[in-house]
Amino acid sequence: MNHVIIGNGIAGVSAAQAIRRRDDTAAITLIGDESGYFFSRTALMWVFMGRLERRDLEPYERHYWRENRFDVVHDQVVTIDPVKRELTLRSGSTRGYDRLLLATGSEASRYDWPGRELQGVCTFTTLGDLDRLEKYWRSGVRRAVVVGGGLIGIELVECFHHRGCRVQFLVREPWYFKQALSRQEASMVHDRIVGRGCEVFYNEEISRFDGDHGRLNSLVTRSGRELSCDVAGIAVGVHPRIGLARRTGLECNRGIIVDRSFRTSIPEILAAGDCAEISDSGRSSGLVQSLWYTAVKQGLAAGRAMSGEEIVFDPGIPYNAAQFFGLDWLTVGWMNDRKPDLTESAWLDRDAGRSIRIAHDDRGRVQGFSMLGGRYQAAVLQRWIEESRPVDHVMGRLDQEAGFDEEFTPAAAIRRIQ
Amino acid sequence: MTAAMASPATDRAARFWTASLDDRGWPAWLLAIGLATFYLLLYYTEVFTRLLPRSLDGKADKWTLYGILYTLAIVWGGVNFIRRNGRSRYQVIRTGVVILVQVVVALAIPTLMRFLGGKEFYFSYLWPLKIEYFYPQVIFSYPLPFVFYSFLGSLLVVPLLAVLFGKRFYCSWVCGCGGLANTFGDRWRHLSLKTRASWRFETVSIHSVLVLAVATTVIVVVNWGIGQSHPGLAAFAFRVQRFYGFVIGFILSGLAGVALYPLLGTRIWCRFFCPMAALLGLIQKLGRYRIATQGELCIACGNCSKYCEMGIDVRSYAIANESFTRASCVGCGICAHVCPRGVLKLELIKTTLS
């Protein structure tokens, strides 16, 4: 069996590993266009901050691929011929496949702002973006603006601040990361940002970029605010990378449409990870998950499907984790924004920088957690949701059973605020 | 905030210096050569003896001066480390204890003992690290309580504490070798060798030194008993002692141990050659200490592996969601500290057998 995987990111690599675990003899090829070897995209920010080198980004030593007989190809797939089951690569070579997995991931979104092609306007998801930012810094950056109040946005703020320039942060919503954080939680993040000497502006959207000789020197917001800047980091979202899938004639919506077994509209072609849209037939909008964690799950499941296993993918209880300028955040389950019939209770210890927000149903059974400023075991929080535990049960056992802070961390003096 | 207003030129200059010093640039090589020269001068010449005032004759020697310099390096490095990592309670407490043990137990008490006319004794160093404390001719020259301290310490208390808390209680909280590594040497921790080849070498070298330490001790003890009537044995024992003291004590522990900080990281002695580390490493695998992982939160960024001073590929355990106890892990806690997603935690499991 000849498996070919387009995309050597975490979804593609997880699938490859899942296949190899089940089939020691199968041929497995990984084709990546961005880098020859799988690297941790989430770690780009630390390379920019000088805490990691590019080589450190690779989770596996180079001999790992050879030893596990993964054929690693650094090239770009230009066309897929589903009839001949053949790929044509940019280098001109062709590859046959028995089963094909598209794991092409996401790409950064941009909108049609005037001036967006000016030198200095940059997104931050790829190695190429990292190269571009390094190039800008070599010619000197004194002022940077970050656009987009989400997870990549806050990382850019931290990155730019670390490299030593004035940083101004533009957030479209009334508070940071409104899609996931409460106003209270966002205010703690706000304090962090401001405490480090950066500025944040809320309810602001980009109107246009202005420059001189092709080089960015300022931007203007919809409200008329003008900010001078040498670099503008754009972090307004990502969308599935589906150009190749579209050209091949695969059914696509926002992502490549797949069923719960990751099958696309063409036989023997699967898709998984950020690029996939899991759709139960007949629905207008399927599930697109653009996180590292979900890409791992989908990749592993898709690999098992490619090995011939009957898979009905269950996303499970959702979770995500991030760090806002050093402030730990973990969310598990569903909060009020996802399930409006849930009630939320909140606890706060402002001095310790710790906030707990729990969503529960009308019988007091926990359905979701948003934990800021402490470390917890996601698996325990998930278990409590699965077991429909009441809020009191959870709060009485939170530190002992779910706590994951380092030793000697003082207990937080949390008080109920909601 | 003034740093943010720095011009690109000064920013580059500042980054060049630290970047070169921390990443094997010419300042790092210069420092390594300087440290090596310092150790060679210390062992082979009396340059440092001449720096001492005459009045201290007999009460202090160049080794006292070395101890003071060593302690100053730990205090200075430790204070800087605490300033950079103050938000971690574990790191602050651990470093505070390291500084305290060095100043009080490894410097003040032994120096005081000499000043009061006696022989110095280092309560924070035990066999097999301080191999002399099992040499009968050395330990029996101390009052009986010291003999008990040495034997019970090495054979009972230290192993017991390693089972209960992991070898970290010694290697990251008490020992001056680790103390210097985690304070003065902290900026070079990422230079630890990460390759599979270095791990293979490590498993052979460190257990060889342990075997050598035990063998040397046995020979010295036997010689003390029957050497008088066996001149051949006596001569052999003398050569073995001298070989151990020179190769292990000077070359590997002193010279290579510290001079290589700026080039190969700070725990070269601890990881490749320390017999105490070898012994406690084996013991801790039977004990309560481990690093717990929650792999579902891991993003494979690599900060943990990069900053592990023992060259352990912590990331591989995190990705695989495997909690682990590696014999070489000294429990510094930095991997858990630098992890951006709360994947790692140093902990003591409830049962003693994993």
Side-chain angles (χ1 to χ4, degrees):
Chain A
M1 182 63 75
N2 181 12
H3 302 277
V4 177
I5 299 170
I6 303 178
N8 62 355
I10 184 62
V13 164
S14 297
Q17 290 172 323
I19 298 169
R20 180 57 76 225
R21 252 177 245 132
R22 276 157 191 78
D23 187 347
D24 209 42
T25 57
I28 304 173
T29 304
L30 279 158
I31 306 175
D33 62 357
E34 188 178 347
S35 84
Y37 291 92
F38 166 54
F39 72 97
S40 169
R41 187 178 304 285
T42 50
L44 289 177
M45 63 181 284
W46 290 291
V47 177
F48 187 73
M49 291 200 279
R51 294 186 49 82
L52 291 174
E53 283 163 56
R54 286 180 199 226
R55 195 56 182 267
D56 300 325
L57 293 177
E58 293 176 25
Y60 302 102
E61 282 186 73
R62 299 268 167 104
H63 54 70
Y64 170 82
W65 308 102
R66 199 178 53 244
E67 282 167 14
N68 289 281
R69 287 154 292 116
F70 295 117
D71 189 10
V72 168
V73 175
H74 187 185
D75 206 335
Q76 190 177 59
V77 176
V78 175
T79 55
I80 303 172
D81 184 338
V83 175
K84 290 207 285 193
R85 296 212 185 148
E86 203 177 69
L87 311 171
T88 309
L89 305 174
R90 187 164 291 284
S91 63
S93 61
T94 58
R95 292 252 168 178
Y97 68 85
D98 291 327
R99 274 198 193 121
L100 182 67
L101 173 69
L102 287 163
T104 50
S106 299
E107 53 193 358
S109 301
R110 290 174 196 247
Y111 299 103
D112 51 355
W113 307 294
R116 67 187 177 280
E117 70 293 327
L118 287 167
Q119 283 257 323
V121 179
C122 189
T123 51
F124 192 50
T125 55
T126 66
L127 288 170
D129 290 335
L130 181 65
D131 291 336
R132 245 179 305 278
L133 284 174
E134 289 287 0
K135 195 184 71 174
Y136 296 151
W137 247 266
R138 273 196 295 275
S139 43
V141 174
R142 304 179 84 102
R143 312 147 301 176
V145 172
V146 177
V147 183
L151 296 182
I152 297 181
I154 190 82
E155 286 175 2
L156 275 173
V157 173
E158 190 175 346
C159 281
F160 290 169
H161 169 78
H162 182 91
R163 289 291 288 263
C165 65
R166 184 193 70 190
V167 184
Q168 293 171 310
F169 192 17
L170 295 178
V171 174
R172 186 177 60 180
E173 284 77 34
W175 63 81
Y176 171 73
F177 205 25
K178 182 164 181 282
Q179 69 186 102
L181 297 184
S182 67
R183 183 180 268 269
Q184 172 68 54
E185 289 166 334
S187 80
M188 286 169 67
V189 179
H190 172 93
D191 291 346
R192 274 276 159 145
I193 298 170
V194 164
R196 293 275 204 272
C198 306
E199 281 180 275
V200 203
F201 302 110
Y202 300 100
N203 302 302
E204 292 282 13
E205 282 185 76
I206 292 289
S207 177
R208 69 169 197 277
F209 297 100
D210 292 321
D212 192 17
H213 292 98
R215 202 67 184 74
L216 174 74
N217 60 25
S218 71
L219 59 82
V220 182
T221 69
R222 290 250 192 99
S223 70
R225 188 190 294 271
E226 185 171 335
L227 301 174
S228 63
C229 52
D230 309 309
V231 164
I234 306 300
V236 296
V238 299
H239 57 269
R241 214 174 150 208
I242 57 175
L244 176 63
R246 275 228 155 86
R247 288 199 307 275
T248 310
L250 292 166
E251 199 183 320
C252 296
N253 187 21
R254 282 172 300 144
I256 305 169
I257 302 284
V258 295
D259 62 14
R260 282 183 180 266
S261 307
F262 300 101
R263 289 182 293 231
T264 65
S265 54
I266 295 179
E268 302 308 334
I269 300 184
L270 293 83
D274 280 27
C275 68
E277 182 169 336
I278 302 173
S279 189
D280 293 322
S281 53
R283 298 254 296 277
S284 58
S285 187
L287 178 67
V288 175
Q289 301 180 305
S290 22
L291 298 179
W292 175 277
Y293 303 129
T294 53
V296 174
K297 278 206 173 62
Q298 288 196 20
L300 288 173
R304 287 162 61 190
M306 287 167 84
S307 309
E309 209 178 303
E310 278 299 309
I311 293 289
V312 179
F313 182 66
D314 174 16
I317 295 174
Y319 66 90
N320 196 10
Q323 204 181 49
F324 309 120
F325 244 128
L327 197 60
D328 293 313
W329 179 63
L330 172 66
T331 186
V332 180
W334 302 267
M335 305 305 287
N336 180 261
D337 60 299
R338 289 285 157 81
K339 295 188 175 178
D341 49 311
L342 297 176
T343 318
E344 286 184 2
S345 302
W347 293 258
L348 178 69
D349 179 347
R350 194 139 201 130
D351 297 325
R354 198 180 276 249
S355 155
I356 295 167
R357 182 164 58 106
I358 299 181
H360 48 91
D361 63 15
D362 50 8
R363 300 218 333 242
R365 296 176 298 193
V366 298
Q367 285 278 286
F369 297 87
S370 177
M371 319 295 269
L372 192 59
R375 296 191 158 178
Y376 297 92
Q377 288 187 72
V380 175
L381 301 183
Q382 277 180 320
R383 182 164 46 85
W384 281 335
I385 294 172
E386 273 161 16
E387 294 171 352
S388 300
R389 294 292 180 183
V391 179
D392 302 324
H393 174 101
V394 162
M395 287 310 287
R397 288 165 177 72
L398 195 60
D399 288 333
Q400 305 93 291
E401 288 184 30
F404 213 61
D405 287 316
E406 59 175 17
E407 292 158 313
F408 309 137
T409 302
I414 53 166
R415 51 176 190 84
R416 183 85 181 256
I417 59 167
Q418 186 183 316
Chain B
M1 224 357 232
T2 46
M5 300 305 177
S7 73
T10 50
D11 177 53
R12 266 203 298 274
R15 274 161 50 81
F16 164 75
W17 172 254
T18 44
S20 291
L21 184 61
D22 296 347
D23 288 304
R24 300 194 182 113
W26 64 262
W29 283 91
L30 208 62
L31 182 62
I33 291 167
L35 288 168
T37 309
F38 168 79
Y39 273 93
L40 289 168
L41 289 176
L42 181 68
Y43 274 86
Y44 286 114
T45 72
E46 299 307 316
V47 161
F48 297 105
T49 318
R50 283 197 281 276
L51 292 174
L52 294 161
R54 208 71 64 96
S55 53
L56 291 174
D57 204 34
K59 295 229 172 111
D61 56 20
K62 61 183 179 179
W63 299 108
T64 322
L65 192 61
Y66 174 60
I68 291 170
L69 284 172
Y70 199 94
T71 305
L72 284 174
I74 285 184
V75 171
W76 178 73
V79 166
N80 277 315
F81 176 86
I82 288 174
R83 275 178 30 204
R84 282 196 315 272
N85 297 280
R87 64 190 182 282
S88 164
R89 207 73 172 337
Y90 184 82
Q91 296 304 329
V92 170
I93 294 175
R94 184 178 70 79
T95 307
V97 170
V98 161
I99 294 173
L100 200 70
V101 169
Q102 177 64 29
V103 169
V104 173
V105 184
L107 182 68
I109 288 177
T111 309
L112 195 65
M113 288 169 86
R114 278 219 30 202
F115 261 75
L116 295 177
K119 269 201 328 180
E120 72 230 0
F121 189 82
Y122 295 92
F123 290 91
S124 51
Y125 291 112
L126 292 132
W127 183 92
L129 176 58
K130 193 129 177 81
I131 198 173
E132 299 87 354
Y133 286 171
F134 265 34
Y135 290 176
Q137 68 268 31
V138 172
I139 197 65
F140 290 155
S141 70
Y142 288 93
L144 204 56
F146 291 82
V147 181
F148 280 130
Y149 183 88
S150 176
F151 290 161
L152 287 176
S154 289
L155 298 175
L156 184 65
V157 178
V158 167
L160 186 63
L161 291 175
V163 167
L164 293 175
F165 301 110
K167 80 181 195 184
R168 61 179 172 152
F169 94 87
Y170 190 72
C171 300
S172 291
W173 287 70
V174 172
C175 180
C177 314
L180 191 73
N182 288 143
T183 54
F184 171 73
D186 183 65
R187 67 190 307 147
W188 295 297
R189 59 166 43 240
H190 63 283
L191 297 178
S192 57
L193 297 165
K194 318 284 187 192
T195 61
R196 197 163 57 172
S198 66
W199 173 76
R200 285 190 176 135
F201 177 80
E202 167 195 335
T203 45
V204 172
S205 65
I206 203 167
H207 296 109
S208 303
V209 174
L210 177 61
V211 166
L212 189 65
V214 172
T216 304
T217 309
V218 168
I219 289 167
V220 168
V221 168
V222 168
N223 177 56
W224 179 78
I226 61 170
Q228 291 256 30
S229 41
H230 294 79
L233 174 64
F236 177 62
F238 178 72
R239 281 205 309 279
V240 166
Q241 248 182 274
R242 254 231 323 229
F243 173 81
Y244 190 92
F246 176 70
V247 174
I248 310 299
F250 168 52
I251 299 287
L252 297 177
S253 171
L255 187 60
V258 181
L260 287 177
Y261 271 19
L263 299 177
L264 291 182
T266 54
R267 292 274 194 168
I268 293 293
W269 161 251
C270 312
R271 178 179 169 192
F272 293 101
F273 306 115
C274 176
M276 183 73 115
L279 193 58
L280 298 185
L282 295 171
I283 290 173
Q284 87 168 351
K285 286 185 83 75
L286 304 170
R288 297 193 307 171
Y289 167 76
R290 72 171 186 182
I291 295 185
T293 69
Q294 46 170 345
E296 54 262 69
L297 295 190
C298 179
I299 53 173
C301 66
N303 274 294
C304 53
S305 294
K306 174 80 169 178
Y307 289 96
C308 175
E309 56 188 355
M310 304 304 282
I312 297 171
D313 190 0
V314 184
R315 172 167 50 180
S316 66
Y317 294 99
I319 291 174
N321 198 16
E322 273 174 38
S323 297
F324 66 99
T325 309
R326 284 283 296 269
S328 53
C329 173
V330 289
C332 65
I334 291 293
C335 57
H337 180 53
V338 297
C339 173
R341 295 290 184 272
V343 175
L344 304 165
K345 180 183 189 306
L346 276 61
E347 66 177 26
L348 302 173
I349 52 178
K350 306 294 184 267
T351 54
T352 47
L353 290 171
S354 44

